[in-house]
Amino acid sequence: MWIGLCVFESEAQVVPGEETFGVQYSIVPVLGYNSDYGLFGGGLFQRIDYGLGVRPFKSRSSANFTISTKWNIISKIDHERIESFGREIRSRIRFEGIRLLSNTYFGIGNDTEFTSSAFEDGRYYFEERTLNLRYWGRKNFMVFGQNGKIDGQLLATVSYSDPVSSGNETVFETTRPEGYAGGWVNKAGLGVIVDNRDNEFDPSVGYRFETNASLAGTLTGSSYSFSHLFTELRGYVSPIRNLVIAQKLEFQHSKGDVPFWELPTIGNEFGLRGYALNRFRGDSSLLHIIELRSWLFSILDNQIRFGSQVFMDTGRVFAGDDRLGDLTANLKQTYGFGGAISILNPDFIFRGDIAFSEDLYRIYLSVGYLF
């Protein structure tokens, strides 16, 4: 169960379908409950400065804080701007502080065991305590067509994790995976982004391709030495008015001395939704998502819009002796549906989804479409 309330204050000229000017604020108090976190409350604040009609924005800032009756705490501060360091460099910086008494670890691999009784008894739990600071920098090198651009990307992460066992009978304690003792993970990487979507917040046509590689090791002051590869392709088509078919294909691979929390992971709010949190971890992951999105109707001169989406997530992880030939025989699949609402500003989309897996179901609440 989730309950959300949206309150807005605006100094901006916001007209759907036209240029937006000035500053727009969004405040979202949230109260909710689920079986993993218990009763929780908090809120999200977002500020978008469009300047003199700058697209997608001149700068964007957000702060998110939630706390539950089980003392799970999640706090995030995010800031992004189109120009930084006195140059046309798009920069984004995010700080996260997380304490989850009931994060989950099911082991490594695509066929790790799950039983409802063990889940309810807490055998898959451990306590996550993490602080991290991330930076993304982008520099445009080429433009093409009406919306197309090619950007080079710089990535940097400084993070510290201190996982704590939740009991002698937990999978985390009995298997003691790489990273059991916690430590620093400091990474640096480079990448490329090719983007020709018509809109960053609510795309209806176009595609976005991103690939990057990062390294962690003694040179970065990391407790672990490993490499990570990320590749993603998103595509959008609108065969009829007010219907968008959105798809995403993602591949990740890690190699080396990889702590378990840095392994490619699916079965969460970002992919293979409907499974228990972080259900599958492996050396590699492959994920495909298809969503059908539609804005159904609007009121008050299109200032308030109501939409819906249905989706299907398909994927798996690879570990140990798994081979690419195992792909079709061991794919996991989930499906679900949800709703969306946009109030005053078409760039601010409040989304809720319910997803179903073979194990259980999960409810998600977020700001913005998944991709």
Side-chain angles (χ1 to χ4, degrees):
M1 175 182 177
W2 301 75
I3 302 172
L5 173 65
C6 301
V7 182
F8 296 82
E9 175 185 354
S10 180
E11 299 174 0
Q13 174 187 329
V14 184
V15 181
E18 299 183 11
E19 288 288 356
T20 302
F21 302 90
V23 180
Q24 188 267 343
Y25 300 87
S26 305
I27 303 172
V28 185
V30 176
L31 175 67
Y33 174 86
N34 71 29
S35 56
D36 291 333
Y37 301 133
L39 182 68
F40 62 88
L44 179 143
F45 169 80
Q46 179 173 269
R47 177 185 184 273
I48 301 179
D49 183 355
Y50 293 100
L52 298 176
V54 178
R55 297 299 294 174
F57 47 75
K58 182 180 179 181
S59 66
R60 178 177 63 171
S61 302
S62 65
N64 184 7
F65 179 82
T66 59
I67 184 170
S68 79
T69 52
K70 294 183 179 180
W71 294 105
N72 295 307
I73 300 172
I74 300 175
S75 58
K76 299 180 182 180
I77 300 174
D78 203 311
H79 179 71
E80 185 174 8
R81 59 188 305 111
I82 298 301
E83 295 184 358
S84 51
F85 312 112
R87 299 178 180 273
E88 293 183 354
I89 298 175
R90 181 169 177 173
S91 292
R92 182 180 183 184
I93 188 167
R94 176 191 293 171
F95 170 78
E96 294 178 306
I98 299 172
R99 179 181 183 238
L100 296 180
L101 291 180
S102 52
N103 201 344
T104 53
Y105 178 78
F106 297 90
I108 308 298
N110 198 58
D111 296 306
T112 51
E113 181 181 284
F114 176 91
T115 65
S116 297
S117 58
F119 185 64
E120 292 171 1
D121 290 342
R123 285 184 53 199
Y124 303 120
Y125 289 156
F126 75 95
E127 180 182 346
E128 176 187 358
R129 298 187 294 191
T130 300
L131 294 173
N132 63 60
L133 182 67
R134 304 180 189 274
Y135 172 79
W136 298 264
R138 291 169 57 177
K139 173 65 176 176
N140 179 255
F141 291 108
M142 182 184 298
V143 296
F144 61 94
Q146 183 175 356
N147 300 306
K149 55 187 177 181
I150 301 177
D151 293 350
Q153 188 180 40
L154 172 68
L155 306 96
T157 300
V158 176
S159 67
Y160 181 77
S161 294
D162 182 25
V164 177
S165 173
S166 297
N168 292 332
E169 302 300 319
T170 62
V171 176
F172 179 75
E173 178 64 34
T174 56
T175 62
R176 296 202 171 197
E178 186 72 48
Y180 174 87
W184 290 92
V185 170
N186 305 325
K187 299 186 292 184
L190 297 172
V192 175
I193 297 175
V194 182
D195 191 350
N196 81 334
R197 296 171 297 170
D198 61 335
N199 187 292
E200 287 197 19
F201 298 98
D202 186 13
S204 59
V205 295
Y207 65 88
R208 182 186 188 276
F209 172 77
E210 177 181 356
T211 184
N212 61 66
S214 56
L215 295 172
T218 54
L219 290 179
T220 62
S222 178
S223 305
Y224 305 88
S225 297
F226 64 94
S227 60
H228 183 81
L229 173 66
F230 173 88
T231 300
E232 177 192 80
L233 176 63
R234 308 177 186 180
Y236 308 86
V237 296
S238 182
I240 60 175
R241 186 179 179 183
N242 290 332
L243 175 66
V244 174
I245 302 174
Q247 296 191 70
K248 181 174 82 164
L249 182 64
E250 176 190 289
F251 174 76
Q252 296 191 59
H253 177 69
S254 291
K255 183 177 181 180
D257 180 24
V258 191
F260 73 92
W261 67 85
E262 289 286 335
L263 289 170
T265 303
I266 55 176
N268 50 47
E269 63 181 305
F270 303 110
L272 216 57
R273 291 163 286 183
Y275 278 105
L277 180 64
N278 298 329
R279 178 68 176 86
F280 303 102
R281 304 175 193 261
D283 301 320
S284 306
S285 66
L286 185 64
L287 172 70
H288 175 261
I289 299 176
I290 182 170
E291 290 195 357
L292 275 64
R293 304 169 181 169
S294 178
W295 290 108
L296 302 175
F297 64 93
S298 63
I299 59 176
L300 300 179
D301 236 359
N302 211 34
Q303 294 293 299
I304 302 178
R305 299 182 298 162
F306 297 89
S308 66
Q309 59 273 354
V310 295
F311 54 86
M312 182 172 66
D313 298 1
T314 305
R316 63 158 296 164
V317 298
F318 298 84
D321 296 330
D322 289 337
R323 296 293 182 265
L324 188 60
D326 301 324
L327 175 62
T328 56
N330 293 283
L331 285 173
K332 310 297 182 181
Q333 196 165 70
T334 65
Y335 60 92
F337 61 90
I341 182 172
S342 169
I343 302 179
L344 296 182
N345 186 350
D347 291 341
F348 186 88
I349 299 169
F350 196 56
R351 173 179 57 90
D353 293 326
I354 180 169
F356 303 87
S357 71
E358 61 183 347
D359 293 343
L360 34 72
Y361 73 91
R362 281 293 179 262
I363 299 174
Y364 306 96
L365 188 70
S366 183
V367 174
Y369 282 120
L370 179 61
F371 61 94

